[in-house]
Amino acid sequence: MKREPSSGPTRRQILRGAGGLTAAAVVGAVALDQAGTASAAVSTSKRFDLTDASDEWFREIPLNETRILQSFAFDNTNKHLYTAQLVQGGRILPGETQASSGTDRAKNGDLCITRLDWQGYIIGRMYLKGFGHGVSIGVEPSGNSAYLWTECDSVPDSENNGYGTKIARFKFANGTVLQPDSAQVTRYTPVPGSDHNTVAIDPVTNRIAHRHRLDGTWKYSLYDLATFKAGTFTPLATITQPAVLTGPTFQGYTSMGQYLYTIDGTAYTYDATDGHRTSDSNTYVTSIDWNTGTVYERRLSKAGESLYYREPEGLAVQIPDTSTPTAARLHLGFGSEESKTQTDKKASFYYKDLLV
């Protein structure tokens, strides 16, 4: 297994007690003042400085499937990393009598969840049939394992990729195969009639963010995790997706404190004749104030710039040392290939830990 050593953490303190921030950050000389409608009362907090250089955690580690990383999340208590991928074509799962193509797996919304330790070694996997595309997942630690939060009840879109219409919670169980109606799965419908449902968990405040599309409009809502788990869907905040995120390829999100963070962009392109790269990074990370829906900061990221292929895939918050809960990292995930002759996808992770 190819692994890069983890960089030592820098303990730059973060979250609580910061005053409100009123000025919009700038990209070049352009103020980002566009905002969706918002309704919120979220306490003020510090935010990740998106101008902070990204440090490498892992570079090009293999996951369980050969398909690209879709999203990831951390169990900070047990020091586990969970990743989501679509199931690869040709794999026959327990209970199946024949292999399915990768196209059919994507249409059905069949996912593989891989558990890794914080040295980058695979220590478990499970499969989810009919759940969705895996754009974002959440992890809720429980003892020496964890409950996972994903989309479920997948429905294919116009491009025949399955996306969830509900939210699922289930305990990670190595080697198992689940369907949305499995006894181990609890399903939630926070916004009836919505599609493209996904969630992310804020491990600092124990809140859950929910992204969904309703009547063609993308929205995000923030809930207390315990209240959401009990089936009461009264949001602390609701944001309409800002206009700056319309157009770019959305690749994931997470939340911490007062701020929602998103990542967008596409993989590098290459000349078919000589193999030279024909594009530069178009990966952007954006921070949005839950209280106003205002884009606070939007920055181009060149993390992992030398990766081959390099597609941004997910955001998540890591707390490296739970004895210091006010230290955290904002991780960016990337799918890549080792070279133009090897197409099996690898996963790479880079982080920012400066909070202001």
Side-chain angles (χ1 to χ4, degrees):
M1 175 180 292
K2 181 178 179 180
R3 303 196 318 275
E4 293 290 339
S6 174
S7 301
T10 58
R11 294 286 180 250
R12 287 176 275 192
Q13 297 300 303
I14 64 168
L15 184 65
R16 303 181 188 280
L21 298 167
T22 58
V26 296
V27 176
V30 182
L32 292 174
D33 58 0
Q34 67 266 53
T37 56
S39 173
V42 179
S43 57
T44 59
S45 72
K46 291 188 175 182
R47 60 177 176 82
F48 287 105
D49 181 357
L50 302 184
T51 66
D52 183 34
S54 297
D55 297 312
E56 184 178 289
W57 193 49
F58 291 132
R59 182 184 175 95
E60 294 183 328
I61 59 172
L63 303 179
N64 193 67
E65 302 295 290
T66 59
R67 302 190 71 171
I68 198 164
L69 172 74
Q70 292 291 341
S71 61
F72 63 101
F74 292 100
D75 176 346
N76 295 298
T77 300
N78 295 297
K79 298 190 182 305
H80 293 156
L81 168 67
Y82 290 87
T83 65
Q85 301 164 273
L86 290 167
V87 177
Q88 66 192 48
R91 186 179 292 286
I92 301 176
L93 299 178
E96 296 179 340
T97 58
Q98 62 184 22
S100 296
S101 68
T103 299
D104 286 342
R105 291 295 191 187
K107 181 179 180 180
N108 194 52
D110 294 346
L111 298 174
C112 174
I113 303 294
T114 303
R115 181 167 67 182
L116 303 94
D117 62 24
W118 283 10
Q119 287 71 50
Y121 291 104
I122 294 174
I123 55 174
R125 80 276 297 157
M126 66 186 301
Y127 291 93
L128 313 176
K129 296 180 64 176
F131 276 66
H133 201 69
V135 173
S136 183
I137 61 173
V139 174
E140 178 192 350
S142 177
N144 60 5
S145 187
Y147 283 90
L148 303 184
W149 291 79
T150 70
E151 63 199 287
C152 69
D153 289 44
S154 177
V155 173
D157 66 0
S158 59
E159 297 181 354
N160 277 332
N161 289 310
Y163 291 90
T165 57
K166 296 181 181 180
I167 298 301
R169 178 181 181 264
F170 53 90
K171 197 164 189 177
F172 180 84
N174 186 32
T176 61
V177 179
L178 295 182
Q179 300 189 58
D181 59 358
S182 298
Q184 301 94 316
V185 178
T186 302
R187 287 182 285 181
Y188 301 87
T189 309
V191 181
S194 62
D195 59 18
H196 287 68
N197 283 255
T198 53
V199 290
I201 289 179
D202 176 347
V204 176
T205 64
N206 288 317
R207 295 174 183 152
I208 186 168
H210 173 226
R211 183 178 188 255
H212 59 280
R213 187 176 66 177
L214 183 64
D215 297 329
T217 299
W218 293 100
K219 290 182 177 290
Y220 304 80
S221 292
L222 184 67
Y223 301 86
D224 173 76
L225 177 59
T227 302
F228 189 101
K229 188 164 56 176
T232 299
F233 307 121
T234 305
L236 303 170
T238 296
I239 293 173
T240 300
Q241 181 164 281
V244 72
L245 298 183
T246 300
T249 300
F250 187 87
Q251 298 285 16
Y253 66 102
T254 193
S255 178
M256 194 176 78
Q258 185 184 347
Y259 296 91
L260 171 71
Y261 299 90
T262 68
I263 188 170
D264 58 77
T266 55
Y268 288 149
T269 56
Y270 295 86
D271 186 277
T273 302
D274 60 20
H276 286 107
R277 201 175 85 193
T278 56
S279 65
D280 294 321
S281 173
N282 64 358
T283 298
Y284 280 86
V285 180
T286 303
S287 58
I288 304 163
D289 189 328
W290 276 113
N291 284 309
T292 63
T294 300
V295 172
Y296 190 93
E297 190 174 15
R298 178 171 169 81
R299 299 288 178 179
L300 178 70
S301 173
K302 294 189 176 182
E305 188 175 19
S306 64
L307 293 168
Y308 185 84
Y309 183 79
R310 186 186 179 272
E311 183 172 3
E313 298 288 354
L315 289 175
V317 173
Q318 180 192 33
I319 303 174
D321 183 356
T322 54
S323 68
T324 312
T326 53
R329 296 171 173 176
L330 177 65
H331 274 258
L332 291 66
F334 293 91
S336 64
E337 299 169 5
E338 286 189 299
S339 72
K340 64 182 179 180
T341 61
Q342 297 182 5
T343 58
D344 288 356
K345 300 299 188 291
K346 308 292 184 181
S348 299
F349 302 92
Y350 296 81
Y351 65 89
K352 300 176 183 295
D353 63 356
L354 176 62
L355 284 106
V356 292

